[in-house]
Amino acid sequence: MKRVAVLGVTGSIGRQALEIVESHPELELAAAASGSQPIDGLAPLTQVGGDLTELLDRTEPDVVLNAVVGFAGLPATLWALERGVTLALANKESLVAAGELALQARERGGGLLLPVDSEHSAAFQCLEGRSTEQVDSLVLTASGGPFRGRTRDELEDVTPDEALAHPTWRMGPKITVDSASLANKGLELLEAHFLFGLPYERIEVVLQPTSVVHALVRFRDGAALAHLGYPDMRVPISFALTYPERAATPIPPLDFSQGLVLEFEPPDLETFPLLAVARGAGEQGGTFPCAFNAANEVAVAAFLGGKLPFLGIAATVEDTLTEVDGAPARDLADLLEADAEARRLAEKGMKVA
Ligand SMILES: NC(=O)c1ccc[n+]([C@@H]2O[C@H](COP(=O)([O-])OP(=O)(O)OC[C@H]3O[C@@H](n4cnc5c(N)ncnc54)[C@H](OP(=O)(O)O)[C@@H]3O)[C@@H](O)[C@H]2O)c1
């Protein structure tokens, strides 16, 4: 029996995680948390907002599924990593922001860190049991989002509703906007670096518009392993929660009877600069990834609130990164300060409508 704490239970990932937990008798929902929506009676222990580590202390779960959106997920990520409690991580922002601090906590705790992000779950499965010396490079796939193929001019006046109309995935609003700007792929590049210990030059991003190929790993002997499946987050959620058993899910296997064409194309880094900006932040290291994430969160919230044009998201993040010092965080207090400073700069520098 695995006792699972689902954080962000009211969200897109959280609701799908509940479905997986309910369908497996060996999984027990021990605790649940949301940010503001009421969840009384959903689990034996619940918490709405506040410091989620208090809920985790009371629960002592076997697995923490962190599906909180944004930097707010950080304390729970560090709580699980520090204690060696299995962490099923959807909240990529916390790993991106904490970077080295999170890796040090994982080292001390010695527990499992299982990615829930579909690309990273896929890469984890392609890599499993193989040393990184055997790896030539990792390839993360992206759908390209709703604005794939558009020019910069065509993005001047796009609305939040247009950005929220993702072609292949149904997700929460923040990650959907991140997918439209390619900031999500930037966050995933940073996440992959920290998860798999690969340098940035060995992590590539390619567009695969139908989101059937989730990731590929190229090995040094010329072979490449790919992970395929219909785009459905219940697969990586189930993989992480039932690891290493790989329990059954209701998702149908790939059907080739109607033919299946897989097309790949390079991302347009000029129209969607945030992928390259994230790569630059990763290469600079220190708290640059944390600042990238913080400025992006501020800008996405402003865009969704109708206060910032879509192209203003990238401009805000770029401007913020030129102003932060990016000094490495020695501890959580340093990291919180770096996040707060980047938010202040982003708020101040935003060219609001
Ligand atoms: N959705 C996907 O398919 C997908 C795929 C890959 C990765 N991810 C990652 O998974 C995470 C969640 O994404 P999502 O799409 O599920 O987001 P979402 O639908 O917006 O849900 C976010 C969840 O976080 C909770 N929350 C927000 N602030 C909180 C706080 N301060 N304390 C506690 N809980 C808080 C929300 O509670 P309230 O409802 O009460 O506000 C909600 O339950 C993100 O990091 C995202 O990048 C998502």
Side-chain angles (χ1 to χ4, degrees), residues 128-192:
E128 207 175 11
R130 297 174 183 90
S131 72
T132 46
E133 293 108 69
Q134 296 177 26
V135 175
D136 171 73
S137 51
L138 166 63
V139 184
L140 300 174
T141 53
S143 71
F147 303 143
R148 180 175 66 91
R150 296 212 195 174
T151 63
R152 244 186 111 68
D153 285 351
E154 289 168 339
L155 296 180
E156 291 273 357
D157 301 317
V158 291
T159 64
D161 280 349
E162 289 173 273
L164 289 172
H166 196 278
T168 53
W169 294 100
R170 295 284 154 267
M171 311 179 285
K174 194 259 177 183
I175 184 175
T176 307
V177 173
D178 285 349
S179 299
S181 70
L182 286 198
N184 183 49
K185 221 39 66 173
L187 291 168
E188 290 182 4
L189 174 75
L190 297 158
E191 181 187 12

Side-chain angles (χ1 to χ4, degrees), residues 8 10-13 34-37 67 90-93 117 171-172 233:
T10 47
S12 159
I13 293 287
S34 70
S36 56
Q37 294 193 61
N91 176 253
K92 63 190 95 185
E93 295 94 337
D117 226 349
M171 311 179 285
M233 286 307 295

Side-chain angles (χ1 to χ4, degrees), residues 283-299:
E283 281 161 354
Q284 284 177 287
T287 48
F288 279 106
C290 173
F292 173 89
N293 176 67
N296 184 58
E297 284 191 32
V298 168

